[in-house]
Amino acid sequence: MSALTGVLYAALVAYLGGWYLGRWTGNFALLLFVLTSVTMLYWLAERFHFAPARNKAAQDLLDNDAKRRQTLAAQGINRVDGDIEPARQQLLQQPWWLDWTAGLFPVILIVFLLRSFLFEPFKIPSGSMVPTLLVGDLILVNKFHYGVRLPVINKKIVANNDVKRGDVMVFRYPEDPSTDFIKRVAGIPGDEVAYVNQKLYINGQLAPTQPVDNFYDDSGSPRVYRPRFNEKLGDKQHQILVRPDAQAYFRADRADGPFPFQENCRYTIEGVTCKVPAGHYYMLGDNRDNSRDSRFWGFVPDENIVGKAFLVWMNFGNLKRIGTFFN
């Protein structure tokens, strides 16, 4: 078993090393599920086989020593040298390969359950959600807000809250489902969403906006001040950035070809208008002119939903961000 455990750890190190070096794309949810399953098997084996075997061996040692002492006492020898306690402790000691597998199972199980059904951490990798979320923000995602889903396969088994316009949602990127993305929900099933001449329309109604100030956007190149606005989607108000000199024309450019329901969208020199199909959502970045979103790669299906983002719990470059709640 020690050799088998060594091989498993070597495979884990190779997988993580290749993931870190970019040789392949890792799947943390699947990895955590496999680690939970493997350590659970070791934990069960320890509880029902290895630990009872060690306890029996230690008890046999005590019984044999007691019989030896009784035999010697019957012969008139009452003083017997030899302390078997160190040997008994050695028999009871858990080997390293069980300590590093069965011993880790409770911790890994707790992490697996918390991450799968309650909260998952997520790091903001780009400036597409500036000014709401900054590059380097470490956020928490509520996994059960939209319903309980089975880990790894992401199948919803219990429904909860409906997705609403204005929600900040983490989802599996339609072009590469192994990658998580974060955007704001602009359209829900049945909505007609139009982004024309840098203005957002939902079902023909202009989304209310109010100018705020200029925001220093250092998430892209060049780093400049951009006009910041308050925007209202549904009952939620949030801030967006709009670059007046940005090109207004968008085109479908999904890497793997036409996106599903692309026929629901009309692209013109002024912008794009899409009818959101059933079971799908239309996503936009708050940094409207620095975000590749549904305007380019289409709709997000319900089965791609990861959860609702709600809290910045850490930003090592800007500690003032810690504890920031957002819509």
Side-chain angles (χ1 to χ4, degrees):
M1 288 297 292
S2 61
L4 174 61
T5 305
V7 170
L8 291 175
Y9 265 102
L12 175 62
V13 170
Y15 176 79
L16 293 174
W19 186 0
Y20 178 77
L21 295 173
R23 302 292 178 86
W24 47 73
T25 301
N27 186 325
F28 188 73
L30 178 60
L31 174 63
L32 197 57
F33 175 75
V34 171
L35 288 176
T36 304
S37 301
V38 171
T39 55
M40 180 182 68
L41 292 176
Y42 274 89
W43 182 83
L44 291 172
E46 161 68 0
R47 182 179 179 89
F48 296 106
H49 175 70
F50 293 113
R54 293 197 307 273
N55 290 332
K56 184 178 183 304
Q59 187 60 47
D60 288 345
L61 179 65
L62 290 176
D63 293 342
N64 291 333
D65 181 66
K67 290 179 181 179
R68 182 174 68 93
R69 291 177 183 273
Q70 288 177 359
T71 301
L72 293 175
Q75 298 173 5
I77 303 174
N78 295 316
R79 184 172 181 179
V80 182
D81 294 331
D83 182 6
I84 64 168
E85 184 59 25
R88 190 180 78 88
Q89 291 298 328
Q90 187 172 357
L91 286 173
L92 291 173
Q93 185 175 359
Q94 191 179 61
W96 71 268
W97 51 272
L98 278 172
D99 187 33
W100 283 85
T101 50
L104 293 176
F105 169 65
V107 176
I108 295 177
L109 177 64
I110 291 173
V111 173
F112 175 72
L113 293 176
L114 286 175
R115 186 185 184 277
S116 299
F117 300 109
L118 296 179
F119 302 104
E120 179 179 347
F122 181 82
K123 183 177 181 179
I124 303 301
S126 71
S128 69
M129 285 297 290
V130 173
T132 304
L133 296 171
L134 307 183
V135 176
D137 279 350
L138 300 174
I139 67 172
L140 281 182
V141 179
N142 186 330
K143 297 294 290 285
F144 62 88
H145 182 82
Y146 299 125
V148 178
R149 296 173 182 265
L150 292 176
V152 182
I153 62 174
N154 210 41
K155 174 146 181 91
K156 185 188 291 185
I157 55 175
V158 178
N160 198 2
N161 298 292
D162 294 331
V163 177
K164 295 181 179 180
R165 299 185 199 97
D167 286 355
V168 178
M169 191 167 77
V170 174
F171 54 92
R172 294 179 177 181
Y173 184 32
E175 286 189 296
D176 179 10
S178 65
T179 302
D180 288 343
F181 260 36
I182 183 168
K183 305 288 182 185
R184 189 178 297 279
V185 179
I188 59 177
D191 281 348
E192 183 180 76
V193 181
Y195 193 79
V196 178
N197 294 325
Q198 297 183 312
K199 296 183 183 297
L200 177 63
Y201 297 83
I202 307 295
N203 298 322
Q205 299 295 317
L206 178 65
T209 58
Q210 292 288 337
V212 178
D213 56 14
N214 288 326
F215 178 87
Y216 183 64
D217 182 12
D218 60 357
S219 63
S221 181
R223 301 178 178 183
V224 295
Y225 284 94
R226 303 196 191 285
R228 174 163 50 177
F229 298 84
N230 283 329
E231 179 184 73
K232 190 173 183 181
L233 279 176
D235 59 355
K236 296 179 180 178
Q237 187 166 284
H238 54 274
Q239 294 185 337
I240 62 171
L241 299 184
V242 176
R243 196 174 74 204
D245 60 344
Q247 178 181 348
Y249 177 69
F250 303 94
R251 63 182 178 86
D253 65 351
R254 183 158 164 166
D256 56 358
F259 57 79
F261 301 101
Q262 185 170 317
E263 65 276 9
N264 286 25
C265 296
R266 303 188 309 273
Y267 289 87
T268 68
I269 196 171
E270 296 163 328
V272 55
T273 301
C274 292
K275 181 77 171 180
V276 185
H280 291 71
Y281 304 94
Y282 198 86
M283 313 300 295
L284 292 177
D286 288 349
N287 197 348
R288 292 290 159 80
D289 303 301
N290 188 26
S291 173
R292 190 170 180 276
D293 44 41
S294 286
R295 293 171 291 183
F296 300 91
W297 42 252
F299 310 102
V300 174
D302 183 80
E303 58 265 25
N304 282 35
I305 292 176
V306 173
K308 183 177 185 291
F310 68 100
L311 171 69
V312 177
W313 64 272
M314 177 56 73
N315 185 317
F316 292 103
N318 185 355
L319 297 181
K320 293 181 180 179
R321 298 282 298 165
I322 297 174
T324 301
F325 289 87
F326 52 89
N327 287 327

